[in-house]
Amino acid sequence: MAKPATIQYNLAKLYWYGRQYSLDGEALTKGRGGTRTIDVISAIRAKIAGRALSAGDRLPSIRSLAASMSVSPSTVVEAYDRLAAEGLIRARRGAGFYVSPTVMPPLALAEVEPRRDRAVDPFWVSRQSLDADDAVPKPGCGWLPPDWMPEAALRRAVLAHADASLLTDYGSTRGAPALRRLLLARLAEDAIEASIDQLMLTGSGTQATDLVCRFLLRPGDTVLVDDPCYFNFRALLRAHQVKILGVPYTLSGPDVARFEAILASERPRLYITNSALHNPTGATLSLPTAHRLLTAAAAHDLTIIEDDIFGDFEPERSPRLAALDGLARVIRIGSFSKTLSASVRCGYIAARADWIEHLVDLQVATSFGGPSPVATAIIAGVLAGGSYRKHMDELRQRLARARREVARKLQGLGLEPWLMPRGGFFLWCRLPGERDATQVARAALEEDVVLAPGNVFSVSETATSFLRFNVAQSNDPRMWDVMRRALKARAE
Amino acid sequence: MAKPATIQYNLAKLYWYGRQYSLDGEALTKGRGGTRTIDVISAIRAKIAGRALSAGDRLPSIRSLAASMSVSPSTVVEAYDRLAAEGLIRARRGAGFYVSPTVMPPLALAEVEPRRDRAVDPFWVSRQSLDADDAVPKPGCGWLPPDWMPEAALRRAVLAHADASLLTDYGSTRGAPALRRLLLARLAEDAIEASIDQLMLTGSGTQATDLVCRFLLRPGDTVLVDDPCYFNFRALLRAHQVKILGVPYTLSGPDVARFEAILASERPRLYITNSALHNPTGATLSLPTAHRLLTAAAAHDLTIIEDDIFGDFEPERSPRLAALDGLARVIRIGSFSKTLSASVRCGYIAARADWIEHLVDLQVATSFGGPSPVATAIIAGVLAGGSYRKHMDELRQRLARARREVARKLQGLGLEPWLMPRGGFFLWCRLPGERDATQVARAALEEDVVLAPGNVFSVSETATSFLRFNVAQSNDPRMWDVMRRALKARAE
């Protein structure tokens, strides 16, 4: 009596494979194989659909099917391999091919859309942003849209490396020397004079931070972050099971008096910050604040991770802790995820040479080698090609326009930026009337708009009525409709 | 009086930039820019070399140099950008270009060659293998040479994805659905029926293992591994600060009686193993052993990571703990680093759906997203293309020949394989006369041959006279000369 369900299941299954087929068909005509392979695939699909072949049945031998369809045996092999890759049939080594005993149902809905019932914690924005459909407006996400990135330069770099042995081999433990030399030159532009043994490449900026945390921290240690700070610092530190403290962030960096007091009373092991274009506020560390922070850090033997991920978005260079300190107790971290590509990922760590030596071991143990040699070759290719500076010049100009425009629109809705940043793509805004940003974000998500509510950035959870807007991801009219409705609903 | 040193330094510098130049020159003629750009680059280099421009000097303005050299301003911009990317000059935003105050010296020798004075610990083989020059024979390394890998299929897949938005965006938190569907079909071939929410993609197989360890382990926990086992399990577990115990590995899997005794007395939290073609021995888990292991694991609430990285090298499928257990307490891990590419990296974890949910959060926190979308698209492209099975058939045949041949040669030198494996690329061999393999490996490294000495694989350090040979990396005559000399030297 399970027939109707079974039939429905099989219809869904056939629909799915039908869809796969039409997609594959196109690919096939472009690839090797061609129409004869498609004919064989179609014939087998038809037999399974028409029940001439059922779950567990052995398929015709390659030789016999080739003869009966007047194709070459290699065409049948190609067709069977593609059907096996999809899961419709299975190979048993040395024993031919069989119809799969179970066939996967079409992708469940839960798979297509991220879950919405999650707690609004530091993971919330990441999961919603990363898993949202391309069409969903994401003013809360932390990166630029694909069409802001230098796709042409990346494509050129990819094509240049498509036929190298780079495609197959592991990379060296510290990462490609060519990219490290280019990075040293860029560090020198920030007045950070490092030697080649003070630099290593990592899988990403986040992995760089994680690696340093693994090296320095033990469960139960105390770590200081800015309040507010990049929400994933909080998620990452939770994974390290440390006690997280926040220091209020001001227009010129962390509140120095509070910073000194916390160092004296709580003895944190580590402070994680990003100096230039602070995330989420867009504020900038001033030189006197930097000096006082480093003096206090030296007095209390505090190590500092300075994440420079937004540095290249600055119109003019601002002070860096790493430059002032000369990489003695400051560890500089960066990546190209925000400027070049988040897909071709690569981060780096610049630090004391003896620390780098340990960090390299740690990266071997936990990732077996550094970033993909293909990724580092592509990034080095783009950087050495000389188009990077022009790309960044254009991005800065485009972002300046977008910041002005989005700030104006937000002000029209009663949202006030905490500060008008010198650069970058974030506006940290307070909702009118002390509204709860988490509720606004939940309501927006119901209408397919991903916002970034303030408290995910705040250790003390005192940013209740703030939202962080990515100006490069805020041009979809739906987002503004949703904002308008969400604010109105809350007002009522 | 520092002149001579400075001159020497500058000569080295010029030599280095000269070398860069000739390399760049070739790249330039192929890329955009062309000979006019090279002319400008040469002119600036000549001025710096001839001291017409010194450290800190401002370069001619773009407009004036363009006029004096009769080139377009964009040619000068391109030339300056390339020189800046190399570090010879620096851009100051809005203030023109300057000769760099310090110039990087040529790459130090320590950078070109891995350090040789390291302790022969579980990191030793990884570091020596990963950082060795391509020309160095590496019979001790754990992967296949580039020319054994399906470069043509990878290249096709790379080219197919070179112009997609895949190039710039972050991936979804669980990794590309297309590759996950293909993996589910492959798991089903191993009789592991998993649903889509039981599978996630990771940056690599090592990162998959690391992620599970982070999820399950706390410092001070006890973890069981095989003795001998893949040396990086030991390195990875050290990073987790756990107590590591070993269970002797027999021809049919771990010694079951010892396994049961250790579970009863030491209560390990986790057991990490690879069942099919065990690394380094090449032994295979038997079905009765698998059953007893799982029974003991259930009695003592032990979780098991089964790393299937060599599974596809088997001639016929052998028992898998994950299949027997149905992913209840066994976590299945795998990757394509050994079969397709170690550069286009991607691993996966199949486990209980609720564990996957937590592991996804952990991956977001520590890596911000899963593997590169480019990497997953390339791997899915190769798998769906249907050429994978043929590639693996060829690899298995080629490896069978190589195993026979290398075993014969080793036996000629008095080295006896502990077992002649059914598949894979390792031979675990005992040196004649109880020789110390670490000393042989050190001597071989002096002659640029990377061997893998037994004790890096052994928790109890009782594999003193064993070496692991990679038969696909053992065809260089230099390696055999070095082996012969090393054995002779030790005999004297």
Side-chain angles (χ1 to χ4, degrees):
Chain A
M1 289 308 293
K3 279 279 174 222
T6 310
I7 288 167
Q8 212 166 25
Y9 177 75
N10 277 302
L11 281 175
K13 185 177 86 186
L14 283 171
Y15 165 74
W16 185 59
Y17 281 113
R19 209 158 53 90
Q20 280 291 102
Y21 170 60
S22 63
L23 291 170
D24 271 355
E26 196 186 8
L28 270 170
T29 53
K30 290 180 184 168
R32 65 209 189 96
T35 52
R36 282 171 187 283
T37 313
I38 301 179
D39 290 345
V40 178
I41 290 174
S42 304
I44 299 297
R45 276 189 214 279
K47 282 188 192 214
I48 295 171
R51 308 247 173 188
L53 283 170
S54 297
D57 283 357
R58 192 176 194 280
L59 267 71
S61 77
I62 286 161
R63 203 171 294 270
S64 70
L65 189 63
S68 72
M69 289 191 71
S70 303
V71 297
S72 72
S74 67
T75 300
V76 179
V77 168
E78 172 80 12
Y80 278 15
D81 277 343
R82 284 175 186 258
L83 289 166
E86 280 173 26
L88 194 60
I89 67 173
R90 293 188 190 169
R92 290 190 200 146
R93 265 172 223 162
F97 287 84
Y98 293 77
V99 180
S100 294
T102 55
V103 187
M104 284 174 293
L107 213 58
L109 191 68
E111 189 44 40
V112 180
E113 295 184 279
R115 279 178 50 196
R116 313 203 139 183
D117 56 350
R118 292 179 60 93
V120 181
D121 59 15
F123 291 100
W124 194 85
V125 180
S126 337
R127 297 268 295 228
Q128 303 299 349
S129 305
L130 290 167
D131 289 339
D133 190 85
D134 282 350
V136 168
K138 293 184 276 288
C141 90
W143 54 90
L144 296 175
D147 61 338
W148 290 55
M149 299 303 239
E151 277 193 59
L154 287 166
R155 191 163 53 243
R156 274 199 305 275
V158 167
L159 296 180
H161 298 290
D163 54 355
S165 79
L166 284 175
L167 268 185
T168 54
D169 242 351
Y170 286 94
S172 63
T173 60
R174 286 159 186 264
L179 181 53
R180 281 187 288 144
R181 282 198 297 266
L182 289 164
L183 278 171
L184 284 182
R186 291 168 47 76
L187 287 173
E189 283 185 39
D190 277 354
I192 299 168
E193 302 292 342
S195 59
I196 192 93
D197 60 348
Q198 289 185 277
L199 187 67
M200 67 183 282
L201 306 182
T202 63
S204 68
T206 308
Q207 282 186 40
T209 312
D210 182 48
L211 214 53
V212 174
C213 286
R214 293 179 90 143
F215 174 54
L216 291 175
L217 301 179
R218 299 293 167 262
D221 279 354
T222 298
V223 177
L224 187 60
V225 294
D226 301 316
D227 191 352
C229 72
Y230 170 42
F231 54 80
N232 208 54
F233 288 159
R234 296 179 62 201
L236 177 65
L237 290 171
R238 275 194 200 178
H240 286 274
Q241 303 167 69
V242 294
K243 184 178 165 194
I244 310 169
L245 295 177
V247 56
Y249 211 78
T250 76
L251 293 172
S252 59
D255 179 321
V256 180
R258 291 284 289 278
F259 186 88
E260 289 166 342
I262 292 169
L263 261 55
S265 64
E266 306 286 339
R267 300 269 167 183
R269 175 82 190 84
L270 182 68
Y271 168 52
I272 309 184
T273 189
N274 47 355
S275 309
L277 302 178
H278 176 255
N279 181 2
T281 64
T284 300
L285 182 72
S286 75
L287 194 56
T289 303
H291 172 65
R292 277 187 65 184
L293 292 184
L294 286 173
T295 306
H300 297 284
D301 199 21
L302 174 80
T303 303
I304 299 174
I305 294 179
E306 187 173 48
D307 178 1
D308 199 53
I309 193 156
F310 297 106
D312 285 354
F313 289 99
E314 283 193 308
E316 305 91 28
R317 292 275 157 190
S318 62
R320 294 290 194 281
L321 295 169
L324 218 59
D325 169 70
L327 296 178
R329 62 177 61 256
V330 176
I331 297 169
R332 157 76 163 246
I333 273 172
S335 91
F336 300 91
S337 298
K338 306 299 179 195
T339 52
L340 286 181
S341 166
S343 175
V344 183
R345 291 180 85 179
C346 172
Y348 68 87
I349 306 174
R352 282 168 43 176
D354 57 335
W355 288 0
I356 292 291
E357 184 76 8
H358 290 294
L359 289 165
V360 166
D361 274 347
L362 207 46
Q363 177 157 269
V364 169
T366 57
S367 302
F368 207 74
S372 153
V374 180
T376 52
I378 290 171
I379 290 170
V382 174
L383 289 185
S387 64
Y388 181 73
R389 201 179 59 91
K390 191 166 159 244
H391 162 64
M392 288 310 302
D393 276 342
E394 285 167 1
L395 270 194
R396 280 189 294 265
Q397 285 171 29
R398 196 169 170 186
L399 282 168
R401 285 194 300 272
R403 279 195 307 275
R404 279 194 301 273
E405 196 179 316
V406 173
R408 190 179 47 73
K409 280 186 177 174
L410 288 170
Q411 283 162 333
L413 291 177
L415 282 91
E416 205 55 51
W418 183 71
L419 135 118
M420 200 57 204
R422 296 158 51 242
F425 39 91
F426 295 135
L427 291 177
W428 178 241
C429 297
R430 190 190 292 271
L431 283 164
E434 300 290 313
R435 296 239 176 82
D436 183 343
T438 299
Q439 289 182 13
V440 172
R442 275 196 189 281
L445 191 61
E446 288 301 315
E447 302 193 61
D448 273 335
V449 170
V450 178
L451 294 174
N455 276 351
V456 306
F457 301 88
S458 170
V459 174
S460 61
E461 307 225 324
T462 51
T464 311
S465 59
F466 279 86
L467 283 170
R468 186 193 72 182
F469 287 88
N470 178 336
V471 300
Q473 302 266 13
S474 297
N475 51 359
D476 192 307
R478 282 176 297 165
M479 167 211 146
W480 295 100
D481 290 344
V482 164
M483 282 295 298
R484 235 169 267 125
R485 270 198 299 279
L487 287 171
K488 203 172 163 191
R490 298 302 312 153
E492 281 159 6
Chain B
M1 288 310 291
K3 280 276 176 223
T6 309
I7 287 166
Q8 212 166 22
Y9 177 74
N10 278 302
L11 281 175
K13 184 176 87 183
L14 283 171
Y15 165 74
W16 184 60
Y17 283 113
R19 206 158 53 90
Q20 281 291 103
Y21 169 61
S22 62
L23 291 170
D24 271 355
E26 195 185 9
L28 271 170
T29 54
K30 290 181 184 169
R32 64 209 188 93
T35 51
R36 281 170 187 283
T37 313
I38 301 179
D39 289 346
V40 178
I41 290 175
S42 305
I44 298 298
R45 278 188 214 279
K47 282 188 189 211
I48 296 173
R51 308 246 173 189
L53 282 170
S54 297
D57 284 356
R58 193 176 193 281
L59 267 71
S61 78
I62 286 161
R63 203 170 295 269
S64 70
L65 189 62
S68 72
M69 288 192 71
S70 303
V71 296
S72 73
S74 67
T75 300
V76 178
V77 169
E78 171 81 12
Y80 279 14
D81 277 343
R82 284 175 188 259
L83 288 166
E86 279 173 26
L88 194 60
I89 68 173
R90 294 187 188 170
R92 291 190 199 147
R93 266 174 222 161
F97 287 82
Y98 293 78
V99 180
S100 295
T102 55
V103 187
M104 285 173 292
L107 213 57
L109 191 68
E111 191 44 41
V112 180
E113 295 185 279
R115 281 178 49 198
R116 314 206 137 180
D117 56 350
R118 290 181 62 92
V120 182
D121 59 15
F123 291 99
W124 193 84
V125 180
S126 337
R127 298 266 296 227
Q128 302 299 348
S129 304
L130 289 168
D131 289 338
D133 190 85
D134 282 351
V136 168
K138 294 184 277 288
C141 90
W143 54 89
L144 296 174
D147 60 337
W148 290 54
M149 298 303 237
E151 277 193 61
L154 287 166
R155 191 161 53 242
R156 273 199 305 274
V158 167
L159 296 180
H161 297 290
D163 54 353
S165 79
L166 284 174
L167 269 183
T168 55
D169 242 350
Y170 286 96
S172 63
T173 59
R174 286 159 186 264
L179 181 53
R180 281 188 287 146
R181 283 197 297 267
L182 290 164
L183 278 170
L184 284 182
R186 291 168 48 77
L187 287 173
E189 284 185 37
D190 276 356
I192 298 168
E193 303 291 344
S195 59
I196 192 93
D197 59 347
Q198 289 185 277
L199 187 67
M200 66 183 283
L201 305 182
T202 63
S204 68
T206 306
Q207 282 186 40
T209 312
D210 182 47
L211 214 52
V212 173
C213 286
R214 292 179 90 144
F215 174 53
L216 292 174
L217 301 178
R218 298 293 166 264
D221 279 354
T222 298
V223 177
L224 188 60
V225 294
D226 300 316
D227 192 350
C229 71
Y230 171 42
F231 54 80
N232 208 54
F233 289 158
R234 295 178 63 201
L236 177 65
L237 291 170
R238 275 194 200 178
H240 286 274
Q241 302 167 70
V242 293
K243 182 177 165 193
I244 310 169
L245 296 177
V247 55
Y249 212 78
T250 75
L251 294 172
S252 57
D255 180 320
V256 181
R258 291 284 291 278
F259 186 88
E260 290 166 340
I262 292 168
L263 262 55
S265 65
E266 306 285 341
R267 301 266 168 183
R269 174 80 189 86
L270 181 69
Y271 168 52
I272 309 185
T273 189
N274 48 355
S275 308
L277 303 177
H278 176 255
N279 181 2
T281 63
T284 300
L285 182 71
S286 75
L287 194 56
T289 302
H291 172 64
R292 275 186 66 182
L293 291 184
L294 286 173
T295 306
H300 296 284
D301 198 21
L302 175 80
T303 303
I304 299 174
I305 294 179
E306 187 173 48
D307 178 1
D308 199 53
I309 195 157
F310 297 107
D312 286 354
F313 289 99
E314 283 193 308
E316 306 92 26
R317 290 277 157 189
S318 62
R320 293 291 192 284
L321 294 170
L324 218 59
D325 170 68
L327 296 179
R329 63 176 61 256
V330 177
I331 296 169
R332 155 76 164 248
I333 272 171
S335 90
F336 299 91
S337 298
K338 305 301 179 193
T339 52
L340 286 182
S341 167
S343 175
V344 183
R345 291 182 84 180
C346 172
Y348 68 87
I349 306 175
R352 282 168 43 173
D354 57 333
W355 287 0
I356 291 292
E357 185 75 8
H358 290 294
L359 289 165
V360 166
D361 274 345
L362 206 47
Q363 177 157 270
V364 168
T366 58
S367 301
F368 207 74
S372 153
V374 180
T376 53
I378 290 171
I379 290 171
V382 174
L383 289 185
S387 64
Y388 181 72
R389 201 179 58 91
K390 190 165 162 244
H391 162 64
M392 288 309 302
D393 276 342
E394 286 167 3
L395 271 193
R396 281 189 294 266
Q397 286 169 31
R398 195 169 171 186
L399 282 167
R401 287 193 299 274
R403 281 196 306 276
R404 279 194 300 275
E405 196 179 315
V406 173
R408 190 180 45 74
K409 280 187 177 172
L410 288 169
Q411 283 162 337
L413 291 178
L415 282 93
E416 205 56 51
W418 182 71
L419 135 118
M420 201 56 203
R422 296 157 51 242
F425 40 89
F426 295 135
L427 291 177
W428 179 241
C429 298
R430 191 190 292 272
L431 283 164
E434 300 290 313
R435 296 240 177 81
D436 183 343
T438 298
Q439 289 182 13
V440 172
R442 276 196 188 281
L445 191 61
E446 288 301 316
E447 300 193 63
D448 272 335
V449 171
V450 178
L451 294 174
N455 277 351
V456 305
F457 301 87
S458 171
V459 175
S460 61
E461 307 225 324
T462 51
T464 311
S465 58
F466 279 86
L467 282 170
R468 186 192 72 180
F469 288 89
N470 178 337
V471 299
Q473 303 265 13
S474 297
N475 50 359
D476 192 306
R478 280 176 298 165
M479 166 209 148
W480 296 101
D481 290 345
V482 164
M483 283 295 299
R484 235 169 265 125
R485 271 198 300 278
L487 287 171
K488 203 172 164 191
R490 299 300 313 155
E492 278 159 9

